[in-house]
Amino acid sequence: MANYNVKIKEIIPRTHNVRTYRVTKPQGFEFTPGQATDLSLRKSGWENEKRPFTFTCLPGDDYLEFTIKSYTDHDGVTNLLGRSNPGDEFEISDAWGAISYKGEGVFLAGGAGVTPFISIFRDLNRQKKIGGNKLFFSNKTDNDIILRDEFEKMLGKNFFNIISNQPDTKLYKGRIDEKFLKEHVTDFKQHFYVCGPDAFNEALLKHLNNLGANPDTLVFEK
């Protein structure tokens, strides 16, 4: 797998702890919406600390883009990323990953796990093929919702927010559990796209299996 050096062109704040990083695009670089890369910081002592991040731009854009949550509770890669500036450099690998668009269905995202779906929905929207796809997006608070306005514009009533840790939210309070899925999904034979923390993915895949989803229609990072 090849590696490429890229330079930050622009940083866009998204939430209190999420930023979008637009970087230079190597000539001929290709990816499929939903795919990721192994990224490391070109800083002394951090070159070998590679982490997977998803492309959130469109394949045809003249830049590459990553939308990344910074975890400030420890001195890790995302914390250092949060202190990056235009002109700083990353190293990225060729694109990889099992998540890509297979057909109309239900997208289930937990927190920053929504990032593979950003490029997929932007690509469908560009082609005017959003159709009946739905996004159920779970977050702790309203302020954690990434790209809320853009998702609302693209998906309308098919964008559904679930908030787990904010008593005064006006959005749906709770979690995406088996009961929620039974109440909000009528067809368990369609495609389901799942991405979030490991515990979220394990629980959702178990719930979907219990509800009769076809294993061949489950799309997730294995």
Side-chain angles (χ1 to χ4, degrees), residues 11-92:
I11 299 174
I12 307 168
R14 297 300 190 186
T15 73
H16 60 99
N17 60 2
V18 175
R19 304 200 296 177
T20 291
Y21 302 84
R22 290 183 176 168
V23 305
T24 52
K25 184 177 185 178
Q27 186 172 2
F29 192 93
E30 295 182 351
F31 71 93
T32 299
Q35 285 191 311
T37 183
D38 292 317
L39 183 150
S40 61
L41 306 171
R42 288 180 54 79
K43 291 181 181 292
S44 178
W46 292 90
E47 298 91 342
N48 295 320
E49 296 293 327
K50 296 186 181 297
R51 300 291 186 273
F53 294 112
T54 310
F55 300 100
T56 55
C57 52
L58 292 169
D61 289 336
D62 61 1
Y63 53 84
L64 297 177
E65 177 187 286
F66 308 94
T67 299
I68 298 172
K69 178 178 178 179
S70 288
Y71 296 88
T72 57
D73 57 346
H74 63 283
D75 191 25
V77 170
T78 65
N79 187 30
L80 193 58
L81 264 172
R83 302 197 297 270
S84 295
N85 296 293
D88 288 351
E89 295 185 350
F90 303 152
E91 181 179 275
I92 63 171

Side-chain angles (χ1 to χ4, degrees), residues 191 213-219:
H191 284 94
N214 183 342
D216 293 336
T217 64
L218 300 180
V219 181

Side-chain angles (χ1 to χ4, degrees), residues 191-206:
H191 284 94
F192 287 91
Y193 302 81
V194 180
C195 193
D198 289 344
F200 176 92
N201 294 344
E202 291 170 14
L204 265 291
L205 293 170
K206 181 179 178 181

Side-chain angles (χ1 to χ4, degrees), residues 39-197:
L39 183 150
S40 61
L41 306 171
R42 288 180 54 79
K43 291 181 181 292
S44 178
W46 292 90
E47 298 91 342
N48 295 320
E49 296 293 327
K50 296 186 181 297
R51 300 291 186 273
F53 294 112
T54 310
F55 300 100
T56 55
C57 52
L58 292 169
D61 289 336
D62 61 1
Y63 53 84
L64 297 177
E65 177 187 286
F66 308 94
T67 299
I68 298 172
K69 178 178 178 179
S70 288
Y71 296 88
T72 57
D73 57 346
H74 63 283
D75 191 25
V77 170
T78 65
N79 187 30
L80 193 58
L81 264 172
R83 302 197 297 270
S84 295
N85 296 293
D88 288 351
E89 295 185 350
F90 303 152
E91 181 179 275
I92 63 171
S93 69
D94 285 326
W96 56 267
I99 296 178
S100 64
Y101 187 65
K102 309 294 185 184
E104 197 167 290
V106 174
F107 291 72
L108 302 163
V114 78
T115 54
F117 305 154
I118 294 172
S119 182
I120 289 174
F121 280 122
R122 284 175 169 173
D123 191 49
L124 291 172
N125 189 56
R126 178 188 63 81
Q127 300 178 68
K128 303 191 186 317
K129 292 182 178 180
I130 287 286
N133 285 295
K134 295 180 180 178
L135 172 59
F136 293 97
F137 192 8
S138 176
N139 285 284
K140 291 181 179 179
T141 72
D142 295 3
N143 290 334
D144 294 317
I145 301 171
I146 300 169
L147 297 180
R148 180 175 179 177
D149 291 347
E150 184 174 354
F151 280 128
E152 286 177 345
K153 185 175 181 181
M154 289 192 292
L155 292 162
K157 62 181 176 57
N158 285 337
F159 177 44
F160 198 102
N161 287 289
I162 302 94
I163 302 298
S164 65
N165 198 27
Q166 182 184 331
D168 66 347
T169 183
K170 292 181 169 53
L171 300 170
Y172 183 95
K173 298 188 191 84
R175 298 181 182 277
I176 305 177
D177 53 18
E178 200 163 314
K179 180 174 179 286
F180 176 92
L181 292 170
K182 286 173 72 173
E183 290 176 352
H184 293 88
V185 178
T186 57
D187 176 13
F188 286 93
K189 301 303 180 186
Q190 62 187 312
H191 284 94
F192 287 91
Y193 302 81
V194 180
C195 193

